[in-house]
Amino acid sequence: MAEIITPSEVITLAFGDGEYVAAEAISPLDIDAATERWVRPVVGEELLQAIGKGKYSELSEGYIKPAIALYTRYIVQPRLNASTSQLGLTVPTGSHRKAADVKAREELMQALLKRARTALKRLSRQLEQQAAQQEQWAAQQAAQAANALQENLEDGTVVPAAAENIKSWT
């Protein structure tokens, strides 16, 4: 899959200003998992491939990247809460900090999921609006073509048999 969003972009979009996360904490596999699980079913393969090739930058920047970023954080967050080493699963502690309790971690995960779902709903609504606009544009183009055809029929520049074929397209 073509890269749509980088780990650094995920951090910028999905984490707050005071939250430090190294880019290495987010892998391309995390991004791919979020994309496959939540975004591809909404966007579709063809559009996602086009975006991966650099098309539709406004849709990508405003809607697709935020959704991917937030779902990627949702996937990665439990791993950020704990680490695996030779000692097994451990929680980070420091001289001035302690690991969050279970309730705080659950609340964070619920908040992340709500933010990600909201971003996906925004994306879905935008796609619906663009599809409706595209249909409206196509209908306007068909009406213009029909009007032009009628004008050409009236002045004799189009053969009536060809006109029937053209009318069947609209």
Side-chain angles (χ1 to χ4, degrees), residues 93-108:
T93 59
S95 59
H96 302 289
R97 297 176 188 235
K98 68 175 197 155
D101 63 12
V102 173
K103 183 177 187 235
R105 290 193 305 263
E106 287 173 352
E107 288 172 354
L108 174 63

Side-chain angles (χ1 to χ4, degrees), residues 4 39 43 47-48 51 59-60 62-69 123:
I4 293 173
V39 177
V43 174
L47 181 56
L48 208 54
I51 288 168
L59 180 66
S60 176
Y63 299 91
I64 292 178
K65 284 184 179 185
I68 293 172
L123 168 59

Side-chain angles (χ1 to χ4, degrees), residues 101-165:
D101 63 12
V102 173
K103 183 177 187 235
R105 290 193 305 263
E106 287 173 352
E107 288 172 354
L108 174 63
M109 292 303 291
Q110 286 299 318
L112 291 175
L113 187 56
K114 285 179 184 177
R115 285 180 64 203
R117 285 178 176 162
T118 299
L120 198 62
K121 286 176 186 174
R122 280 185 68 239
L123 168 59
S124 180
R125 278 195 310 271
Q126 181 64 19
L127 291 173
E128 288 171 0
Q129 288 173 357
Q130 286 183 340
Q133 289 171 352
Q134 189 69 16
E135 288 176 17
Q136 183 179 12
W137 179 83
Q140 289 172 347
Q141 293 299 312
Q144 289 174 354
N147 289 340
L149 175 63
Q150 187 61 38
E151 289 173 9
N152 288 331
L153 277 172
E154 290 170 1
D155 70 11
T157 57
V158 175
V159 178
E164 289 305 313
N165 287 335

Side-chain angles (χ1 to χ4, degrees), residues 6-141:
T6 66
S8 294
E9 289 174 306
V10 168
I11 291 168
T12 300
L13 291 169
F15 291 85
D17 289 338
E19 298 175 294
Y20 171 76
V21 177
E24 297 82 36
I26 312 263
S27 78
L29 291 175
D30 297 322
I31 295 168
D32 287 348
T35 303
E36 288 296 320
R37 170 69 176 89
W38 288 287
V39 177
R40 184 180 307 278
V42 171
V43 174
E45 178 68 28
E46 189 175 320
L47 181 56
L48 208 54
Q49 290 296 328
I51 288 168
K53 293 176 183 175
K55 296 181 179 180
Y56 311 111
S57 62
E58 186 177 319
L59 180 66
S60 176
E61 295 296 323
Y63 299 91
I64 292 178
K65 284 184 179 185
I68 293 172
L70 289 166
Y71 275 113
T72 300
R73 179 172 180 183
Y74 181 72
I75 289 172
V76 170
Q77 189 64 49
R79 200 170 61 227
L80 298 175
N81 295 340
S83 61
T84 304
S85 68
Q86 293 175 338
L87 300 173
L89 185 64
T90 59
V91 293
T93 59
S95 59
H96 302 289
R97 297 176 188 235
K98 68 175 197 155
D101 63 12
V102 173
K103 183 177 187 235
R105 290 193 305 263
E106 287 173 352
E107 288 172 354
L108 174 63
M109 292 303 291
Q110 286 299 318
L112 291 175
L113 187 56
K114 285 179 184 177
R115 285 180 64 203
R117 285 178 176 162
T118 299
L120 198 62
K121 286 176 186 174
R122 280 185 68 239
L123 168 59
S124 180
R125 278 195 310 271
Q126 181 64 19
L127 291 173
E128 288 171 0
Q129 288 173 357
Q130 286 183 340
Q133 289 171 352
Q134 189 69 16
E135 288 176 17
Q136 183 179 12
W137 179 83
Q140 289 172 347
Q141 293 299 312

